[in-house]
Amino acid sequence: MAMAPRRLACARASGWASRWGLQQLGRAGWSAEVKRSTSPDFMYVASSPFLLADQEREEESLTLSAPQLAHAVTQPSPPFYYFTAMLESLEPGLSDSLDGWRELAARSGASRPWVQIWTASAGAFTQAHYDVADNYFVQCDGRKEVLLWPPATADVLQPFPDAHPRARKAQVNVCAALAEERALSEKERRAQLTHREMFPGRAPKYLPQPTRVSLSPGDVLYIPAFWFHHVISETPTLSLNVFAPSATAEAAAAVLAEPLPLSPSWPTPILRSAIATLLDDLLARGVLSGGFVSGGNVMSRGVLAGGGDRRKDVIRRLLYSRYSPLSESVQVAGGGNVGQTTDAAAVTGGSRKRRAPPPRLEESVAAMVAEHAEATSARFDELREAIVAQQQAGQLGLQEDAIEPMASATACGVTAPRVEDDHYNAWQHYEGVSALLVAHLLEMWSLRLFGAANVEAELGKIAEAQPLDHA
């Protein structure tokens, strides 16, 4: 499939609209848990005693029958109603009624796809976020608008930290951020464009105007994994989508699955130096650079990587985009503020004593870190290859249409044409996805070794830590 979102010409999927609408929902026999809120903003929120505490949300859950749900979403709002679920969880075999859904998923080469149903009141929206599976989105009833940004805009969209219940969702107010970008002078716009051309994998300073897609019944939209999307119901809506974990998504999961050979019971200074050394090694190996052909020449990974000097920049950008927007008074479940020091036992919920460091621990850790960096770098290479293969498959003339230039009034009060960038390529996609993965790795390592309460403070110390002596 293509690197960027595309409208798809898929007659069988388009036909779902004739059998899956709000009227048909009103005759279904199942019941399910539905969200209701005075706010139109809905998103999935994780629950765990070891995550950062979330803000109180004016949202309640209630059980409605399908006919009650169909009636509720068509009523004037507020309150707003929102519902999503795996189709098979509502009634076994329900997905089989969708003609061609497995063939749609096969475009991504997915081995474990599934179908999801979505319905919402007019004006409800899901905050900008990204998924880790390809998304084949089929509009069945009502109208939606989808705002889309590539993975490299993560720093500007400021996703919540991984240790937060709203991980992968943007913290920024999308409408306000877009208004700020529209207010730029012509000189500032040219500087923004130059920045994007010189550093295609880097985040711009301001949130770029998105690719805007209006969906009506029968429309099919492909959203690649890791692309941010902000979805607005302009009317009462019902949609179906197929989530398909592609080879790119599976390669990304393999990066995160490499087991970290470090123990939270080891001395904290050694752990900081170990993570610093590991990040330096990965950057020196060029995991953040595409390494593809540019201007007829294959760029050297070493030239593009910049080595250990980039560690501070990578960590500071992560802290600025994910942690700075959070209030300093955010409480961690079980007590404590972000940035305070707590024992690593908070990760496991048990009381843990730090073991005495084994003889020559630093030398042993340095060897383990070097081995882990090599294994993780190999996983990044596999991700690179998967993305190249995805781009090549997208060039084979599959039934898809580039998103055409369009102008549409949105819930943000905007009327702005946006042309799909046909030059978005494997290099840009890899650099955006790899930046997300490096941020995930840093947060995941720190969460495991230091606990949720300490991730922000420890990342700051890792940025300044002395690397281990490989000698």
Side-chain angles (χ1 to χ4, degrees), residues 34 117 173 266 272 309 350 373 399 414 427 447:
V34 177
I117 182 173
N173 181 316
W266 294 346
R272 291 172 187 153
D309 290 339
Q399 288 290 320
V414 178
W427 183 352
L447 179 62

Side-chain angles (χ1 to χ4, degrees), residues 185-192:
S185 67
E186 190 59 33
K187 181 179 179 180
E188 289 170 322
R189 288 183 184 279
R190 286 197 299 269
Q192 173 96 325

